Amino acid sequence: MNMQRISEVVLLVAGFALGLCACHTVKGEICAFKIHGLEAPFEAVVLNGTSGEGQLRARGLVDCELQKEYTFIIQAHDCGAGPGGTGGKKSHKAVVHIQVNDVNEFSPVFREAQYHVAVTEGKIYDNILQVEATDQDCSPQYSQICNYQITTSNTPFAIDRNGNIRNTEKLSFDKQQQYEVLVTAFDCGQKRSTESVAVHIYVKPVCKPGWQGWDKRVDYEPGTGSKQLFPKMNLETCGGLLSSVRTTVELQTSHIGKGCDRETYSEKSLQKLCGASSGSTDLLPAPSASTNWTASLVTDSERDSDLIFRFDGRQAAKIPDQVVPQNLTDQFTIATWMKHGPNPGLRAEKETLLCNSDKTEMNRHHYSLYVHNCRLVFLLRRDFIQVDTFRPAEFHWKLDQICDKEWHYYVINVEFPVVTLYVDGVTYDPYLVTDDWPIHPSQIDVQLTVGACWQGGEVMKPRFTQYFRGSLSGLTIRPGKIESQKVISCLQACKEGLDINSLESLGKGIKFHFNPAQSILVMEGKDLENMNAALRKVSYINSRQFPTPGIRRLHISTSVECFGEDTCISIPDIDAVVMVLQPSEPRITIAGVDRLTRPAADLRGPAGLNLFQDLHIISTVTKGDTASHHTAGRPGVQEEIIHNLDYCDILVLGEELRPEQESLQLQRSTLLGKHLDATNSTSGMSIYGVDSMSNYEQVIRQVHYHNWHPAQTPDRKFRLTCSELNGRYTSNEFTLEISVLHKSEAGEHVNHMVAPSQYMQVVPHLAMVHSLYPTHGPGVPSAATVVIVICIAALVVVVVLGIYRIHLTHQQEGRSSDTTKERELDWDDSALNITVNPMENFQEPQGAEEEASEEEEEDEEDDDITSAESNDSEEEEEVPAALSVKQGSKRGQLDWDNSTLTC
C-alpha cells in the first residue's frame, strides 16, 4: 500500500498540543506516529486512524530560557495487513521545527551591587559612570533593558537609556564632597527591577599645588618644651616635577610685649641677671613716691607686667637733678626700647627721646638722642678743653627699624670719639658723622628731659619742644662704662621662637637658617620628600615658666623651581596660629613667726635683732584636669612648684625709722654668689634681682633690726611682700610685730639697798625667758611670755611675804601676822623689781645708794645672763641681810636680821 508522503511541518509550541494529519490508502488505517532523533519533550498520538489525524503534544513544561526551539523527525505507521498488525507500512519522514514563545517572567538585575566613582570639582561631565542591568528572559522583547531612571530626588545628575550618568551642574568640593544616587532599570516589556542600585559619587577638589595636612590652630601648653607645628604636612605638586623647594616659616609676635615674649622683670633685675655693669640710672622707672617724675606720663596698661610709656607729642618729663648722672666721661652707655612709626606731615620735626640742655638763659644741647626723618641721631657736644677745634658731634643712622612700628632694643655705646649703635643685638656704624665746636664752660645749670627737649633760654617762657611720638621702655644711662655685646644680647633676648626637633635627623641636602631672634626659619632642598620630612620637624618653643598667653601667628611662604620648564607651579602661602594657653597662676605664700617679744638688750646688741629667722617662702598652683608636665595632677589639687622671684620689700609700718637711733641692716657678704642686690632707707629695705626662692629666704633671714635707744621707740611693725615677674604675681602681705621688753626705771622713792642681791638676780631670768624655749624659734609668743611671768611673779610674792612675816615676828613679838600691812610691788613684762619705801632711820645711806647704783650700772652693761650664771645664783643658800631701813612716821621700824633665807 502506497502511503502518501507526510510533508515537512513547522510548529510553534507553547505548551499545548498540535494536530497531525497523514494520508493513507483505502485498505489501511494510521495506527501511530513515531518521533525520531534526539529525545524531545514531545509525543504524537493518533486521534483518528481512518482519517490519519493525530496530535503532537508536550510531555511537560517547556521553558524558553532553557531551550528556545526544537527540531525532530516524525513518521506515521499504518495498522498493517497481517494478524497482529504485521506487515504495516511507514510513511516518509517529516521534519518538525518547534519554536518556544517567551513570557516576561524576570525583572532586570544590575551587574554590580554598588557603584563608586570620583570626579573633580568644577567640571561638566558627559559620562561620569555607566551602570548596566540584565534580564534573564529569552526573547529580545523581554530580555533587553530599554530604560534607566534615577529615583533620588534633587540631585545634580541625569542618566540616559544606556545607563550613562552625567552631572547637570558643576560640583563643588566645599559645598558637598559626596553624593549617593539610586538608579532603577526597565526592560522592553516595562518590567522594573525589583531593587535599585546605589551609585556613590565622590567630589575631589581641583588639584591645587600647595601644602596639605596642616592645622590652622596649634595649642601650646606652658612648660611642655618644644611642640611640632606641622607633624603631618606635605607638599602637593599635582604631578609637577620640582628641581628645588624653598620654604620660609615666620613667627609673628609683634603684638606680644615688646615684640615677643621676653622676661618682664624690672630693668634693674634684668641687668643684674644678665651681668650688666652696675651704676646705671633708670630714667623711666615705675611711678612712686621717690620716682614721681613719671607719674604724669601715659603708660600702656594693656601690656602684661611690662612698663611701657606712650608719648603722643604732648607729654614729657623732667629728671630731678639728684637723679641725673653728673660724671659722664668719654665712656658711657644709653639704652632703651623704642617703638616708632612715620608721622606724615611731621617729617621735618625732631622727635626727642632724651635731651640734656641748658636750664635757663641759653638753649645749648649738651647731649641728646632724637629721631629725624626716620633717622636716629645722637648729639654729643663735648666741653671746651685745651684745644679749641672741631670734634665729632652728631652721629646719624638710617635704618628701616626706626619707623617700622615694631619694638626694637637700641643701645648706644660711647667710647669717644667712637660711637656704636646696637639694634636688637646687631651692630651698626653711623653713615654720617658731623663735627662741631665744643661748648664753652659756663655756670648755667642743665636740665635732663625725656620725651622732649627743654628750652629754657632765648624764649619768652621756658617750655618743652621737639616732642617725641612713639613708645619707650627701659630708658637707662650708665656713665663710665660700656656694655658688652653678650650683655646686650641677653637684655633683649626673646624667650619664644621657632625650633627644629632633632637636627641630626634632617635629610641630606636640606639647608636651613634662623634669624637672630629665631622668629624666621628658611629651609631649602632639592628632594621633595626630604623637604616634607624637614618641615614636619619645625616646632614652637617658649622657655618662660609663665609665658604671656594669647595668639602667635604663623606665615609660611614657598617658592619652587621646575625642571626645564618656562612656567612652574605656584605654591600659595598659608597662615596658622599658635595659641599659648593660660599658665597656672602661682600663689606665693610667706610664712613664719609673726610676733617677736625681745628684751631691749637684743636690739642694742652688736648683732641686732634677727627679724625673719624662721621665714619660709613657698609657691603653689592649682592643678586641673589638664595638669602640667610635672605630674598628672588631679582637679583642684594644690601642688608646690619652684620658680624665681624678682624682688622682696620690707616696709616699715607706721612712723619711718629714725636714722639716729634705729636701722635695718644686711651684711653685703650675704649677697655674694647670688643675683641679688639690696637698697635700704628709713621706709624699709628692698632686695631685688632674679633668683630662686631659696636664695631669697637665705638673704631675708639675715636682715637685722638695730635700735640703740629702744626705750624711746614704740613697738615696731614690718610688712614683707615678694614678687615674681615685676608684680605680675605677688605674695601675701606678711606682717611682723616687734615688742620690746623694757626694765622698770627706779623712781624717786626707790632704794635698791632694801633688796638683797639674791633677789635682784631674778630680773635677768625674766629677760631670758625666750632662750629657755629654743623650739619656739627666735621669740616666745606673747601668751607664753605672760604665763611664765605670772608664775615667776607669784613665786616671788610668796617668798617676799614669807620674809616679811619673819621680820615682823622678829621685830614685834606678840603682833599677829594677820596685821601685816600691804607692800607695794612693781614689775613689768621683762623684769621684776621689789620696791620697799625706806625707813626714817637707816644706816650708811651713802654706801647703800652707791652700792645700788653700781648694781644698776652693772645690770645695764650685762643684760643677758647665761643659764650657768642663773643656776649659780639660784644655788646660793645664804644671803646676809644686815641692812636696816627706815620708814616714814606712819610705819614702824623694820630691821633685816642675819637669818638664812632660802627660796
Side-chain angles (χ1 to χ4, degrees), residues 24 130 218 231 283 471 477 512 517 603 654 749 803:
H24 54 83
Q130 183 181 23
V218 179
L283 301 181
S471 298
I477 184 168
F512 66 92
L603 277 65
H749 304 291
I803 296 172

Side-chain angles (χ1 to χ4, degrees), residues 688-708:
Y688 63 90
V690 182
D691 214 327
S692 63
M693 291 186 292
S694 60
N695 280 348
Y696 266 93
E697 279 185 0
Q698 295 175 19
V699 172
I700 296 174
R701 289 173 182 173
Q702 300 303 317
V703 175
H704 289 72
Y705 170 60
H706 291 258
N707 193 325
W708 295 274

Side-chain angles (χ1 to χ4, degrees), residues 506-807:
L506 284 181
K508 294 181 179 180
I510 299 297
K511 300 177 182 179
F512 66 92
H513 172 72
F514 285 103
N515 69 333
Q518 284 195 222
S519 60
I520 298 177
L521 169 63
V522 179
M523 278 190 167
E524 187 173 359
K526 295 182 179 180
D527 184 81
L528 181 59
E529 289 304 318
N530 286 343
M531 277 295 294
N532 287 336
L535 262 295
R536 295 187 192 114
K537 297 180 183 297
V538 177
S539 59
Y540 168 82
I541 188 171
N542 194 317
S543 60
R544 294 188 66 191
Q545 189 172 6
F546 305 106
T548 303
I551 288 176
R552 277 73 162 162
R553 302 191 182 279
L554 288 168
H555 181 77
I556 298 94
S557 58
T558 304
S559 61
V560 297
E561 293 181 1
C562 299
F563 285 103
E565 296 184 10
D566 296 336
T567 60
C568 194
I569 60 176
S570 176
I571 308 298
D573 296 350
I574 62 175
D575 292 289
V577 297
V578 177
M579 175 60 73
V580 178
L581 304 179
Q582 180 76 35
S584 299
E585 295 193 1
R587 181 180 179 182
I588 306 171
T589 303
I590 302 176
V593 176
D594 59 359
R595 183 180 179 88
L596 297 178
T597 302
R598 288 293 183 274
D602 284 6
L603 277 65
R604 289 196 303 264
L609 177 61
N610 195 331
L611 295 180
F612 304 100
Q613 187 173 351
D614 281 349
L615 178 78
H616 293 283
I617 304 175
I618 62 172
S619 183
T620 57
V621 293
T622 302
K623 291 297 181 182
D625 290 326
T626 56
S628 69
H629 69 289
H630 305 288
T631 59
R634 295 171 296 174
V637 174
Q638 293 288 330
E639 179 180 318
E640 184 174 349
I641 62 171
I642 303 299
H643 59 78
N644 291 330
L645 299 175
D646 61 347
Y647 70 80
C648 287
D649 289 339
I650 304 172
L651 179 65
V652 179
L653 299 182
E655 183 182 358
E656 291 190 355
L657 299 178
R658 303 172 185 176
E660 67 278 1
Q661 68 181 44
E662 57 180 337
S663 69
L664 291 175
Q665 295 184 9
L666 177 66
Q667 295 293 330
R668 300 297 299 181
S669 59
T670 308
L671 304 175
L672 295 178
K674 302 177 180 65
H675 296 290
L676 298 177
D677 207 340
T679 59
N680 199 358
S681 68
T682 57
S683 60
M685 178 179 292
S686 178
I687 302 169
Y688 63 90
V690 182
D691 214 327
S692 63
M693 291 186 292
S694 60
N695 280 348
Y696 266 93
E697 279 185 0
Q698 295 175 19
V699 172
I700 296 174
R701 289 173 182 173
Q702 300 303 317
V703 175
H704 289 72
Y705 170 60
H706 291 258
N707 193 325
W708 295 274
H709 303 285
Q712 303 175 13
T713 307
D715 291 349
R716 279 293 184 188
K717 289 185 179 180
F718 299 93
R719 177 177 295 164
L720 173 63
T721 57
C722 293
S723 157
E724 165 67 336
L725 298 176
N726 200 21
R728 179 176 172 184
Y729 306 116
T730 56
S731 70
N732 61 310
E733 295 182 347
F734 178 77
T735 302
L736 173 65
E737 184 176 351
I738 306 298
S739 297
V740 182
L741 298 175
H742 299 283
K743 290 188 177 182
S744 298
E745 297 291 335
E748 293 181 357
H749 304 291
V750 175
N751 189 337
H752 295 283
M753 292 176 58
V754 301
S757 60
Q758 175 182 357
Y759 308 115
M760 297 301 292
Q761 292 180 359
V762 174
V763 175
H765 287 282
L766 298 178
M768 291 298 294
V769 166
H770 67 278
S771 65
L772 302 177
Y773 298 87
T775 58
H776 289 67
V780 178
S782 57
T785 303
V786 173
V787 172
I788 296 172
V789 170
I790 291 175
C791 294
I792 298 178
L795 176 62
V796 173
V797 169
V798 172
V799 173
V800 172
L801 289 177
I803 296 172
Y804 181 62
R805 292 185 61 183
I806 292 173
H807 280 283

Side-chain angles (χ1 to χ4, degrees), residues 201-220:
I201 302 174
Y202 303 96
V203 181
K204 297 188 301 182
V206 175
C207 185
K208 300 176 181 178
W211 293 104
Q212 297 181 354
W214 54 277
D215 296 324
K216 292 185 178 181
R217 168 171 166 164
V218 179
D219 288 342
Y220 180 82

